[in-house]
Amino acid sequence: MSAQIVQLHSKNANVDISAQIVDGLSRPAGQKELPTMLLYDERGLRLYDDITTKAPEYYLFGAEEEILKSKADEIVQTMHHGQAPVSTDEVVLELGAGALRKTSHLLLSLARSVPAASSRAPITYYALDLEEHEIERTLGEISTSDIGGYLKGKVNIKGLCGTYDDGLKFVLEGGLNMQNNNANFTSFSRSSLDDVSPISSVATSVFNSGDSISGDSDSSPISTPDEAQLPLHILFLGSSLGNFSRDEAVKFLGSFPLRAGSGDTLLIGMDHDNDKAVIEEAYNDPQGHTNAFIMNGLRVAGRTLGDEAMFNEKNWEYVNHYNSERRQHEAFFRSKCDQRVEDPSSKAQFSFLQDELVKIEQSYKFSEKDAFNLFSGSNLRPIQRWTDSSQRYSLWLLERPTFVFPLLKQPTKTYTPFGVPTMEQWQQLWSAWDCITLRMIPPSMLYQKPIDLRHICLFYFGHIPTFLDIHLSRLLNEPNTEPERFKAHSEVPEKNEDWPTLTSILQFQTRVRARLSKLYTDIDSNRIPLTRKVARVLFMTFEHEAQHAETLLYMLFQRVGTGTLPPPGFANPPWTSLTATWDAAPLPKNKTVTLGPAEVTLGHHDKELDDPDPILANDVDGHEFGWDNEHGVRVVRVDKFSIEWRPVTNGEFFEFFLGKGKDLVRIPASWVEEDGKFKVRTLYGPVPMKVAQHWPVITSYNDLSTYATVKGGRIPTEAELRLFYDTFDTGYGGGANVGFRNWHPIPATTGTERSLEKGGNGGVWEWTSTLFDTYDGFMPSGLYPGYSMDFFDGAHQVVIGASYATIPRIAERKTFRNWYQRNYAYAWVGGRVAYDKE
């Protein structure tokens, strides 16, 4: 029985391609192009198959196949978040399926995840491609092969004939559900989809996307599939994403119908930014297979317009080029002579100069920064990554989690990412806050103190909206939202029965949030001017909530397993797979790097006393806000020193704790002893030391300082660590583990050659040996006088950097300073060792 194929092609598809051809050829010399889709007719797909099987220079196919051969079971298990066997209906959709040789490894693994065959296979695999005959051929070969026998009753295979956009619209319109509920359904009505742009059916932001402070103007629309959709796993292999421009790729992945926090996944192949010569040969093999594949595109272009011989192939040749700076490979037809080509339908003439190039394909390659920029922009989060043995290609497994913090936009003369938070940014922060408070704290913990020196959990539910409400009231000269019950946020009830109920607190929170939203509306409509003072209150209350979210999390961290629930809407970490990846990761060739002498600039100019100044009061655009201990530009001289590439790890500190440090340091509060073995705490429960051995250890300044001293070094100063960060830290956009990219630390990545020694520290704040104290030019905040000044007691150290739960806005602001007592063991702070150099 032949495989079922659903025809998705729009009735206007061929007309659209013809129009694209004519448009591309009508452009001026140097700008002409043809649609890449022309390469993938039935003959083109077979010629591409020759490249993958007969051209070893085309390493992409072999690298991806190597990963799938050795890791398919691990990938499938991770797709299902470690929950096996598969027993419920789910859909696997592959975009641009091709010959299925690589995919067959995943199909067999999917079959192995099903305990027993049944009359109704629990997994349905859809192969989406452009040519119906090729889909029919490849699915038929699979069905009649030994692989088909293994799949029977476990994985049902079907075809979808259409473009990527056709397939994604099909999912968004509920086509997969209809297919699985009606075995005889063989076509899909497109009456409601014809003449619709590829992303027009996806949801847009509910906030204003113009130039107001209500939202970010370049936020990407994210798809909103039906909540009744079957579990969905999308495969997008072969580095096909590289055919899109950087911006197009963000929009395309953002349109994928993955439900946030649902367990839906995307497995995507991405080529690395490899050596120029390697890439150019990969796309122009000596045997000529790529040449034949590309030149076939001219025939298809002519055939589409009405005459396959429209282009005389003797007058054309294939050339390619890789731009290392843009990380972009381009394929061209080059005209060998001055010539004219006539459109057989319209009789239009297209002129070409000798050596003129006509672009037919592009393939962007991905650095680490490119990849993480893409994922964040598309509201996707990496779950795991698999790389081939030559480190030239990766498969990434991604999800759309409950919330994602987008990348910060680049500053301009009139814009800074550290200015007034937008309403959309507030919504993102509230998503994180609600995830923590409403879904990770069970009712039984509301009146408990996870850390003795802190308040009960319920306090933080009310403290945040109360702080916001009080400052809005002072700003607007209005009464508090709840003047009777929430008028003094510093008064803490002593008895449980004296606390407001959770319901009343949440109702109050809703009203305060609505009050803030109204303020933004009033600002946008010019009913309330956006002055420095208004902007500062918005900045301060925003970052106050973000800091408390992190504080609450490191408190809850101490009660995981005895109360605290794991973060919902994010895939549980595949610890076994991740551990293998971390164990195999390259290490720096040298333990340390030498820096200095240098002058390091600390702080910025943000004088709160300037806010009422008539000249500066309305100067908000482009102004960078900060806390009182950030104001004042200070230049600090740093002598020559060396510093370790990476923070002290759990493994290193564990060895020290058992050896030279015995009786000198305490057990870190981030560890727990179970059955005589030390484990490392996570928000998912304790993990074996082997899993977390490469993570930065989280412990007190006193104990890390002891470690450094015994090792012959010391903790670096604030200026020294800032110099290191400014030189080597990649930031959130480069993949640093901040902004809830993970809910646990990871190994640091600085110091390796491939990344030009840049990377992240693993997702912890870092101690410095600089005392948190006043300095020349310090001025306490008028809005929040005790923010810094209350801690100038000689017992606190400056802490800089960010943890995995620090929002990007704080993590990326180089002037931000945190602080903790030297003996405080609960905050997510690690440290590294520095050494004096003569």
Side-chain angles (χ1 to χ4, degrees):
M1 179 178 176
S2 60
Q4 180 183 334
I5 299 175
V6 183
Q7 179 58 251
L8 302 180
H9 273 309
S10 166
K11 62 186 178 184
N12 295 322
N14 200 57
V15 176
D16 292 342
I17 297 172
S18 298
Q20 291 177 46
I21 295 172
V22 171
D23 174 68
L25 296 180
S26 302
R27 298 177 186 180
Q31 299 179 30
K32 292 186 175 71
E33 63 181 18
L34 289 170
T36 301
M37 189 183 299
L38 297 173
L39 299 176
Y40 296 96
D41 71 331
E42 186 173 344
R43 181 170 183 264
L45 288 170
R46 296 194 183 193
L47 289 170
Y48 178 75
D49 203 27
D50 288 342
I51 295 173
T52 63
T53 56
K54 301 176 182 178
E57 296 82 5
Y58 188 71
Y59 62 86
L60 291 81
F61 185 91
E64 192 169 69
E65 187 171 43
E66 174 198 317
I67 297 170
L68 291 172
K69 277 184 176 179
S70 60
K71 301 294 184 181
D73 286 345
E74 187 176 309
I75 291 171
V76 167
Q77 185 177 18
T78 307
M79 283 168 58
H80 295 93
H81 314 297
Q83 298 175 1
V86 175
S87 57
T88 57
D89 285 347
E90 67 175 44
V91 171
V92 178
L93 168 64
E94 181 170 10
L95 307 181
L100 301 187
R101 285 199 312 279
K102 292 177 297 184
T103 309
S104 64
H105 300 292
L106 286 173
L107 293 175
L108 287 171
S109 292
L110 286 166
R112 286 192 286 269
S113 71
V114 178
S118 63
S119 58
R120 181 186 172 97
I123 300 174
T124 303
Y125 165 81
Y126 288 92
L128 172 73
D129 224 319
L130 291 170
E131 290 292 332
E132 186 170 0
H133 292 306
E134 276 300 292
I135 300 172
E136 187 174 18
R137 180 181 69 84
T138 54
L139 295 186
E141 288 177 354
I142 286 283
S143 298
T144 57
S145 69
D146 291 342
I147 295 174
Y150 288 116
L151 301 183
K152 189 173 182 180
K154 297 183 175 182
V155 181
N156 191 17
I157 59 173
K158 298 182 181 182
L160 297 176
C161 185
T163 65
Y164 297 150
D165 292 334
D166 291 333
L168 296 178
K169 290 175 186 175
F170 180 68
V171 178
L172 282 167
E173 293 290 321
L176 295 179
N177 288 3
M178 287 190 286
Q179 277 285 297
N180 277 43
N181 292 328
N182 186 353
N184 296 318
F185 186 74
T186 57
S187 64
F188 182 61
S189 172
R190 297 191 49 87
S191 60
S192 63
L193 301 179
D194 286 337
D195 303 318
V196 178
S197 66
I199 62 171
S200 64
S201 59
V202 302
T204 57
S205 170
V206 297
F207 297 103
N208 189 329
S209 60
D211 295 330
S212 74
I213 62 170
S214 294
D216 292 332
S217 60
D218 59 354
S219 58
S220 300
I222 301 302
S223 63
T224 54
D226 189 338
E227 289 301 317
Q229 175 183 295
L230 295 171
L232 175 65
H233 304 287
I234 298 178
L235 311 179
F236 195 28
L237 308 178
S239 199
S240 299
L241 185 71
N243 298 142
F244 295 81
S245 71
R246 301 288 185 201
D247 291 340
E248 289 169 347
V250 169
K251 293 179 181 178
F252 183 58
L253 294 190
S255 74
F256 277 25
L258 303 172
R259 298 160 301 162
S262 68
D264 292 350
T265 65
L266 165 65
L267 183 68
I268 188 168
M270 296 171 68
D271 194 15
H272 297 180
D273 53 335
N274 298 306
D275 182 74
K276 175 181 172 71
V278 170
I279 290 175
E280 289 188 339
E281 188 176 41
Y283 287 88
N284 200 354
D285 61 281
Q287 300 92 338
H289 297 296
T290 308
N291 183 79
F293 169 68
I294 296 292
M295 295 302 291
N296 180 64
L298 284 179
R299 294 189 191 180
V300 180
R303 185 195 318 140
T304 303
L305 294 181
D307 181 5
E308 188 172 283
M310 173 180 163
F311 294 91
N312 184 343
E313 291 187 29
K314 292 181 180 180
N315 293 338
W316 298 90
E317 64 180 346
Y318 164 54
V319 295
N320 68 316
H321 171 73
Y322 180 66
N323 185 311
S324 299
E325 184 177 342
R326 294 201 306 266
R327 298 170 302 287
Q328 178 191 24
H329 178 269
E330 295 176 293
F332 301 93
F333 299 112
R334 181 161 64 191
S335 176
K336 293 182 179 180
C337 58
D338 293 344
Q339 57 178 307
R340 288 179 178 271
V341 174
E342 183 179 280
D343 178 358
S345 300
S346 66
K347 304 305 180 182
Q349 298 277 323
F350 306 111
S351 298
F352 303 91
L353 302 174
Q354 183 174 351
D355 295 326
E356 183 177 347
L357 300 179
V358 179
K359 187 175 177 179
I360 181 64
E361 187 181 41
Q362 67 182 9
S363 181
Y364 281 92
K365 307 304 174 184
F366 295 89
S367 65
E368 295 293 290
K369 184 173 182 179
D370 293 331
F372 283 104
N373 270 265
L374 170 67
F375 302 151
S376 296
S378 306
N379 283 297
L380 295 169
R381 185 189 82 90
I383 299 172
Q384 174 57 315
R385 173 191 192 177
W386 296 269
T387 303
D388 74 302
S389 57
S390 65
Q391 301 291 304
R392 295 192 293 190
Y393 191 91
S394 290
L395 282 176
W396 295 81
L397 186 68
L398 309 167
E399 67 173 344
R400 181 157 290 141
T402 302
F403 62 88
V404 175
F405 284 97
L407 298 170
L408 301 182
K409 292 191 290 185
Q410 291 298 311
T412 65
K413 290 183 178 179
T414 59
Y415 171 80
T416 171
F418 313 116
V420 187
T422 66
M423 195 64 234
E424 187 172 5
Q425 290 169 336
W426 275 100
Q427 290 284 355
Q428 291 154 357
L429 179 60
W430 290 341
S431 293
W433 179 261
D434 292 347
C435 177
I436 296 165
T437 55
L438 301 181
R439 304 182 67 186
M440 296 178 66
I441 303 175
S444 60
M445 282 186 65
L446 289 176
Y447 298 98
Q448 296 178 5
K449 294 181 178 180
I451 296 175
D452 287 339
L453 297 177
R454 293 286 182 175
H455 295 290
I456 66 171
C457 293
L458 189 62
F459 166 85
Y460 297 94
F461 284 76
H463 171 65
I464 292 302
T466 301
F467 184 90
L468 173 58
D469 194 50
I470 288 172
H471 282 281
L472 290 178
S473 295
R474 292 173 180 171
L475 174 68
L476 303 172
N477 195 25
E478 296 174 351
N480 293 340
T481 300
E482 297 282 351
E484 295 303 318
R485 303 198 64 181
F486 297 92
K487 62 183 178 182
H489 72 280
S490 60
E491 295 177 4
V492 179
E494 295 182 1
K495 299 178 181 179
N496 291 353
E497 57 267 27
D498 293 334
W499 284 87
T501 65
L502 176 60
T503 299
S504 67
I505 292 175
L506 295 178
Q507 290 171 345
F508 167 64
Q509 173 187 270
T510 300
R511 287 191 287 273
V512 175
R513 288 179 177 180
R515 185 183 188 190
L516 179 72
S517 298
K518 182 180 182 301
L519 173 58
Y520 273 81
T521 301
D522 289 343
I523 292 171
D524 284 344
S525 63
N526 295 317
R527 284 192 291 270
I528 293 179
L530 180 61
T531 63
R532 276 274 186 96
K533 184 175 181 180
V534 171
R536 189 173 301 282
V537 168
L538 294 173
F539 141 77
M540 181 186 69
T541 52
F542 181 85
E543 292 198 0
H544 172 263
E545 182 164 343
Q547 291 181 63
H548 269 290
E550 185 170 348
T551 298
L552 185 55
L553 274 174
Y554 77 65
M555 291 166 53
L556 297 175
F557 186 73
Q558 296 296 318
R559 288 291 309 279
V560 174
T562 60
T564 304
L565 302 174
F570 290 74
N572 287 351
W575 294 123
T576 301
S577 176
L578 288 170
T579 300
T581 300
W582 295 332
D583 286 346
L587 296 173
K589 283 189 175 181
N590 301 305
K591 185 78 172 175
T592 64
V593 60
T594 299
L595 297 173
E599 289 187 341
V600 180
T601 300
L602 303 176
H604 64 178
H605 185 77
D606 175 40
K607 190 176 180 182
E608 188 178 328
L609 290 177
D610 288 343
D611 290 354
D613 186 305
I615 298 176
L616 299 175
N618 296 309
D619 183 17
V620 176
D621 292 343
H623 182 76
E624 180 174 307
F625 290 92
W627 296 90
D628 55 11
N629 65 67
E630 298 176 62
H631 168 67
V633 176
R634 290 102 63 203
V635 177
V636 179
R637 167 103 182 150
V638 169
D639 293 328
K640 188 177 181 180
F641 70 103
S642 64
I643 189 169
E644 295 194 353
W645 278 113
R646 299 181 175 184
V648 180
T649 66
N650 283 306
E652 291 169 333
F653 197 81
F654 184 59
E655 181 181 354
F656 178 75
F657 174 77
L658 296 178
K660 293 181 179 179
K662 190 174 183 180
D663 299 327
L664 296 179
V665 295
R666 299 174 300 171
I667 299 172
S670 60
W671 295 359
V672 61
E673 189 173 5
E674 292 184 353
D675 301 324
K677 294 184 178 180
F678 285 103
K679 293 185 176 182
V680 177
R681 297 180 191 271
T682 79
L683 288 165
Y684 302 90
V687 297
M689 185 64 69
K690 175 175 172 52
V691 172
Q693 63 179 326
H694 304 300
W695 300 356
V697 66
I698 294 171
T699 194
S700 69
Y701 173 87
N702 286 345
D703 287 340
L704 276 172
S705 181
T706 299
Y707 173 93
T709 301
V710 173
K711 293 290 184 179
R714 56 179 174 78
I715 301 297
T717 67
E718 178 184 9
E720 288 172 336
L721 188 56
R722 172 48 56 199
L723 177 62
F724 178 87
Y725 280 170
D726 289 350
T727 308
F728 299 111
D729 187 63
T730 57
Y732 183 57
N737 187 27
V738 300
F740 298 90
R741 182 160 272 144
N742 297 287
W743 290 73
H744 56 82
I746 61 172
T749 54
T750 42
T752 59
E753 290 184 358
R754 173 164 180 79
S755 60
L756 302 178
E757 300 178 327
K758 293 188 175 183
N761 78 344
V764 295
W765 296 90
E766 290 194 52
W767 293 106
T768 77
S769 58
T770 301
L771 187 69
F772 186 64
D773 203 352
T774 189
Y775 51 83
D776 289 342
F778 171 79
M779 289 177 284
S781 168
L783 290 173
Y784 195 164
Y787 177 78
S788 299
M789 200 164 52
D790 286 355
F791 301 92
F792 292 161
D793 56 6
H796 292 76
Q797 300 298 129
V798 172
V799 168
I800 63 174
S803 85
Y804 56 87
T806 307
I807 64 170
R809 176 193 175 100
I810 292 176
E812 297 286 85
R813 194 165 72 246
K814 296 180 179 180
T815 58
F816 187 88
R817 309 167 85 213
N818 209 337
W819 65 91
Y820 292 105
Q821 284 190 348
R822 287 188 287 277
N823 63 349
Y824 195 59
Y826 297 110
W828 289 337
V829 190
R832 69 184 75 214
V833 182
Y835 304 88
D836 294 321
K837 301 283 284 189
E838 295 183 1

